[in-house]
């Protein structure tokens, strides 16, 4: 954002470096709100609430940011009915008198969903036991992908190979200092997750974070790069310093591609400095004793654009391909996205078969479209009906797996630029799929 103030920028980076620091996040949200950026303030307050459910300050801030009159503390989820003027005077005023909450067209979707929720039959064909009638305790929370820390590796459906590698690369050595000492150097350095978009790289990293708690620093590189000159390098340094203090600690560098293309192609000298700083920090990890127990996990969709210097031995020298979800993973993902929707006798097996090569994001899209179709139907006919297998299969048919273009590009790289066997995993996968 070009017009972003330095204060907001550095706060944003600070929040990214310490995602669990609720007061810091709320301070940031206050500033956003004061700047009239209500939507962003709402989003920050929401994240704060995930970290500290029920936090009164976060709740109050969210209410203010949404332009609603403060609700009684007992009923936080209730939507305020009736006309409400935005309280933040600097907020851009909308022409419609609607409350600025979500997309509420003429048809009352909430009421409709509520109505059908009362008449829900067996949700899945072959699995009638998961009662979601009362209070949805324990388990349901584990599925809350939006709450960092709440996702555990067990929540990642399928993908056993990926999980095993992560267990060996980070989790076992973190839990077991003896093991770390025993294997010493070979456990240092970093692991680069790569694969088509929407297939769970970020999600998996969050699951690792859930396993490790405080010893996991998430950094989205695009946030670091929002900084003014010189600040990005300092930020990167600070992040790694924090990691060293908290060792054993995993630093997760998400969206590594934000660093741009290979250094030679990166004309912007600021970016080059950032890459250099990252190299310095990674080397620190590889050599100095002070860096013992600092592991780096990174993710990208375009590994071939990642500066080759970043991938030298001791840096991000190991790669891990995150493929589109297998059948088990697809089932888990579908279950997750259908968990709160009014569905009836859904044949998951069929749906799983019909969604091969779909990414996690595609699957979410399928569920969304099916829900839309059923609700539109209900609105049209005036009588509410549940979402069926047919809706879902229909939606799946309409949606092309978004991973295809990625594989087309990746195929060329794997075939013609597989230096040092960097893409052996990918080649093996393409061979299995007969796409070579
Ligand atoms: N194995 C899985 N189990 C459960 N949910 C999954 C799994 N894989 C992906 N998902 C779901 O798919 C969504 C998209 O995944 P995610 O954002 O992690 O993809 P990504 O690889 O980081 O994509 P991008 O490259 O675009 O950043 C997640 O929010 C999650 O709900
Ligand atoms: Mg991601």
């Amino acid at each position: 954002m070009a017009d972003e103030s330095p204060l907001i920028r550095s706060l944003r980076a600070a929040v990214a470096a310490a995602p669990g620091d609720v007061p810091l996040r709320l301070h940031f949200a206050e500033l956003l709100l004061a700047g009239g950026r209500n939507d962003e303030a709402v989003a920050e307050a929401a994240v704060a609430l995930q970290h500290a459910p029920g936090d009164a300050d976060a709740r109050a801030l969210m209410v203010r940011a949404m332009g609603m009159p403060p609700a009684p503390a007992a009923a936080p989820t209730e939507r305020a009915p009736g006309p409400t003027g935005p309280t933040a005077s600097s907020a851009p005023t909308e022409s419609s008198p609607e409350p600025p909450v979500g997309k509420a067209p003429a048809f009352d979707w909430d009421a409709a969903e509520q109505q059908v929720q009362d008449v829900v039959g067996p949700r899945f064909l072959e699995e009638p036991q998961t009662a979601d009638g009362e209070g949805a305790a324990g388990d349901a929370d584990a599925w809350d992908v939006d709450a960092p820390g709440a996702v555990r590796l067990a929540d990642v459906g399928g993908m056993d190979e990926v999980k095993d590698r992560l267990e060996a690369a980070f989790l076992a050595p973190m839990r077991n200092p003896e093991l770390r000492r025993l294997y010493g150097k070979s456990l240092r350095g970093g692991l680069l997750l790569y694969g088509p978009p929407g297939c769970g790289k970020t999600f998996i990293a969050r699951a690792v974070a859930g396993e490790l708690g405080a010893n996991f620093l998430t950094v989205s590189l695009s946030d670091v790069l929002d900084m003014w000159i010189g600040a990005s390098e300092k930020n990167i340094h600070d992040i790694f310093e924090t990691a060293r203090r908290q060792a054993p600690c995993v630093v997760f560098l998400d969206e590594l591609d934000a660093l741009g293309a290979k250094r030679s192609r990166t004309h912007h000298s600021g970016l080059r400095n950032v890459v250099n700083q990252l190299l310095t920090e990674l080397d620190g990890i590889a050599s100095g004793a002070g860096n013992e127990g600092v592991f780096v996990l990174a993710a990208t969709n375009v590994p071939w654009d990642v500066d080759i210097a970043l991938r030298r031995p001791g840096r991000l020298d190991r790669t891990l391909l995150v493929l589109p979800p297998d059948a088990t993973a697809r089932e888990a993902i579908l279950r997750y996205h259908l968990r709160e929707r009014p569905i009836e006798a859904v044949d998951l097996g069929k749906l799983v078969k019909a969604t091969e090569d779909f990414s996690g994001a595609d699957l979410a899209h399928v569920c969304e479209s099916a829900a839309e179709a059923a609700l539109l139907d209900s609105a049209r006919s005036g009588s509410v009906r549940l979402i069926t297998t047919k809706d879902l299969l229909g939606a799946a048919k309409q949606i092309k797996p978004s991973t295809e273009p990625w594989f087309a590009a990746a195929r060329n790289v794997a075939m013609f630029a597989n230096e040092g066997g960097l893409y052996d995993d990918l080649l093996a996968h393409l061979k299995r799929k007969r796409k070579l």
Side-chain angles (χ1 to χ4, degrees), residues 242-415:
T242 309
R244 285 170 200 129
R245 271 199 307 275
Q246 290 184 15
C249 184
V250 173
V251 179
F252 175 51
L253 306 172
D254 203 1
E255 291 157 37
L256 197 65
D257 25 305
L259 280 184
K262 303 186 171 77
R263 257 185 312 178
S264 52
R265 273 199 267 148
T266 313
H267 296 306
H268 193 290
S269 64
L271 277 188
R272 201 165 54 235
N273 291 341
V274 175
V275 174
N276 288 335
Q277 182 67 42
L278 198 51
L279 290 172
T280 309
E281 301 299 340
L282 289 171
D283 285 347
I285 287 164
S287 52
N291 297 316
E292 175 61 36
V294 177
F295 307 102
V296 180
L297 185 61
T300 179
N301 293 333
V302 280
W304 42 85
D305 254 3
V306 171
D307 193 317
I308 200 75
L310 281 171
R311 304 186 54 173
R312 297 244 166 78
R315 297 170 184 165
L316 295 169
D317 51 3
R318 288 164 291 165
T319 52
L320 181 49
L321 175 58
V322 180
L323 288 166
D326 53 30
T328 325
R330 288 204 297 283
E331 183 180 330
I333 297 167
L334 287 165
R335 262 183 212 284
Y336 171 73
H337 287 291
L338 292 172
R339 78 200 182 288
E340 277 174 358
R341 295 191 201 270
I343 58 171
E344 184 181 36
V346 163
D347 189 340
L348 267 183
K350 252 192 197 159
L351 195 56
V352 163
K353 277 211 190 82
T355 48
E356 186 147 7
D357 289 334
F358 278 52
S359 71
D362 293 337
L363 293 171
H365 190 184
V366 166
C367 298
E368 189 76 24
S369 306
E372 229 167 74
L375 280 177
L376 264 180
D377 234 20
S378 306
R380 251 189 240 119
S381 67
S383 80
V384 175
R385 72 166 178 82
L386 303 173
I387 302 169
T388 63
T389 309
K390 199 165 152 239
D391 293 316
L392 288 158
L393 287 176
K397 220 176 192 159
Q398 301 268 313
I399 293 166
K400 263 196 140 228
S402 64
T403 55
E404 273 171 16
W406 187 88
F407 278 110
R411 181 176 176 274
N412 286 331
V413 176
M415 279 173 68

Side-chain angles (χ1 to χ4, degrees), residues 35-108:
R37 294 159 68 168
N38 295 40
D39 286 354
E40 289 167 74
V42 169
E44 293 302 334
V47 179
L49 277 173
Q50 281 159 9
H51 284 285
D55 184 281
D57 290 341
R59 212 180 258 169
L61 194 137
M62 178 174 265
V63 167
R64 271 189 293 136
M66 288 169 87
M68 301 194 309
T77 51
E78 214 163 71
R79 295 208 179 161
T84 52
T87 45
S89 54
S90 52
T93 42
E94 282 176 84
S95 49
S96 101
E98 294 258 24
V101 190
K103 15 136 208 233
F107 183 74
D108 191 344

